[in-house]
Amino acid sequence: MRVLGIETSCDETAASVVAIDGYAAPKILSNIVLSQIEEHAAFGGVVPEIAARAHVEALDGIIEAALADSGTALADIDAIAATAGPGLVGGLIVGLMTAKAIAAAANKPLIAINHLEGHALTARLTDGLDFPYLLLLVSGGHTQIVAVRGVGDYQRWATTIDDALGEAFDKTAKMLGLPYPGGPNVEKAAQAGNASRFAFPRPMKGSAQPDFSFSGLKTAVRQAASAIAPLSDQDVADICASFQAAVADALADRVSRALTRFRETFPGTKNPALVVAGGVAANRTIKIMLERLCAEIGFTFIAPPLKLCTDNAAMIAWAGVERLRAGMAHENGFDLVPRSRWPLDSISAPMVGSGRRGAKA
Ligand code: KG4
Ligand code: ZN
């Protein structure tokens, strides 16, 4: 079985072919990602109109390249899987309409994929993980803990009540005059910094409510920075290190609660696992904290290769494979419309004020 995946929900134009043959491990036959970072950098963030136009210009070529790289003719593809949400609606329209056109012209089934489901199922593509497991998604637009129980069967246990974690990194960088995207630059600056110089708040730490919050921390960073302005390089490094320490500490509290809850909810799980996804998973301080926490509580820690943690189309193709195998592709069709908001778990109430950027996942 071979599935072509298409991803255009934010600022990456991506296409991939994933194959599965019986019980053998799945194979990523091609995985092409074109980042638009340079187009958006001057604006300090993703500009939806620029993103949509860039997708239109690039997508055909990226799909052609993904097919060529995989050595697969369109006729030999079993289905087309495209991200239908959540994300920036302009990009979603480009991806979904292109997928519909290809599916109609080549007479192939079309599977609409929730971008978050792509992230959620990646560890089954990379590590053959069995259900259930726990997912920590930390990206520029989402900060969620999800119990992954099966294909299409997700329970969101926690989300952010304001900013996403990557967004907090990006905004901190902006305040300190560091370039976009902020996360990697904050991490780099923090290496030379003193993490205990500023006692930033640990949002939600100790709260019985499972969710995340980062806007208060952002405000504390702003106040600390303006109190000692103009900032020297050492000041910036110290703020970054202190910010990162606060984030890791707050995250550890939230995640350890979820690990305990997972044990209580799924007591029969032999090898419980925590999977991390999203761009913030690149952060070493956070990764080391998660590794330590999992070792303490008795979980296997799985961090798929960064290329598959950040936005890509292999995860979308793979979600298509999973849905086809599970006989769930029939839910989708040509009448599908893009959904800029599309919770993975339709039961959890939407969080008021959350995901204002809503673009990324
Ligand atoms: O998953 P991703 O590539 O795109 C989506 O948001 O979907 O994540 C990008 C986010 C940005 O906010 C970026 O600043 C953050 O991940 N990020 C990091 C690091 N690398 C990327 N945050 C902290 N430390 C990093 N090393
Ligand atoms: Zn994403």
Side-chain angles (χ1 to χ4, degrees), residues 12 115 119 138-141 166-167 169-170 181-184 187 278-280 282-283 309-311 357 360-361:
E12 279 92 14
H115 179 92
H119 282 302
V138 275
S139 70
E167 193 176 3
F169 269 94
D170 293 339
E187 178 171 25
V280 184
N283 188 283
C309 262
T310 55
D311 287 352
R357 258 171 78 186
K360 297 183 150 197

Side-chain angles (χ1 to χ4, degrees), residues 21-100:
D21 185 4
Y23 290 101
K27 284 202 180 92
I28 299 172
L29 300 182
S30 62
N31 184 17
I32 304 209
V33 180
L34 179 70
S35 168
Q36 303 174 357
I37 279 184
E38 279 174 22
E39 267 131 305
H40 300 288
F43 304 94
V46 178
V47 183
E49 294 304 323
I50 294 178
R53 278 164 208 261
H55 287 306
V56 173
E57 280 164 21
L59 187 56
D60 289 2
I62 297 283
I63 292 172
E64 244 175 273
L67 285 170
D69 254 26
S70 72
T72 313
L74 186 55
D76 298 325
I77 292 285
D78 293 285
I80 324 276
T83 303
L88 293 172
V89 79
L92 293 172
I93 291 172
V94 173
L96 194 57
M97 291 308 290
T98 304
K100 281 186 185 181

Side-chain angles (χ1 to χ4, degrees), residues 81-86 111-115 117-118 315-317 319-320 323 332 342:
T83 303
I111 312 170
I113 301 294
N114 182 315
H115 179 92
E117 178 169 64
M315 71 179 188
I316 303 303
R323 285 199 162 252
N332 306 302
W342 184 3

Side-chain angles (χ1 to χ4, degrees), residues 329-351:
H330 62 275
E331 289 170 17
N332 306 302
F334 292 108
D335 51 352
L336 285 160
V337 288
R339 296 176 63 180
S340 55
R341 291 189 178 247
W342 184 3
L344 196 46
D345 159 2
S346 51
I347 298 154
S348 304
M351 192 60 79

Side-chain angles (χ1 to χ4, degrees), residues 156-321:
R156 194 188 71 201
W157 282 0
T159 186
T160 176
I161 59 175
D162 39 59
D163 292 347
L165 183 51
E167 193 176 3
F169 269 94
D170 293 339
K171 287 179 176 172
T172 294
K174 210 169 183 176
M175 284 187 267
L176 301 175
L178 298 172
Y180 172 86
N185 291 303
V186 169
E187 178 171 25
K188 208 165 137 206
Q191 282 167 5
N194 171 4
S196 47
R197 175 163 166 205
F198 298 94
F200 290 136
R202 273 58 175 157
M204 309 296 278
K205 190 172 175 181
S207 159
Q209 189 192 344
D211 296 307
F212 301 91
S213 166
F214 296 106
S215 77
L217 175 57
K218 175 188 66 190
T219 306
V221 168
R222 180 181 296 121
Q223 285 168 346
S226 55
I228 56 164
L231 302 177
S232 68
D233 285 353
Q234 191 57 52
D235 291 334
V236 169
D238 292 345
I239 292 174
C240 287
S242 303
F243 165 80
Q244 215 171 242
V247 161
D249 205 14
L251 207 56
D253 177 70
R254 307 285 83 197
V255 173
S256 66
R257 271 165 199 275
L259 296 178
T260 307
R261 178 172 170 188
F262 187 91
R263 275 208 181 288
E264 289 162 5
T265 312
F266 305 103
T269 311
K270 275 215 187 77
N271 293 309
L274 174 73
V275 176
V276 69
V280 184
N283 188 283
R284 289 217 27 93
T285 305
I286 291 174
K287 216 176 216 171
I288 289 167
M289 176 278 292
L290 292 172
E291 264 163 10
R292 181 182 49 74
L293 209 59
C294 284
E296 267 170 33
I297 307 184
F299 273 64
T300 302
F301 177 62
I302 297 178
L306 204 58
K307 215 178 158 199
L308 298 173
C309 262
T310 55
D311 287 352
N312 66 87
M315 71 179 188
I316 303 303
W318 172 250
V321 169

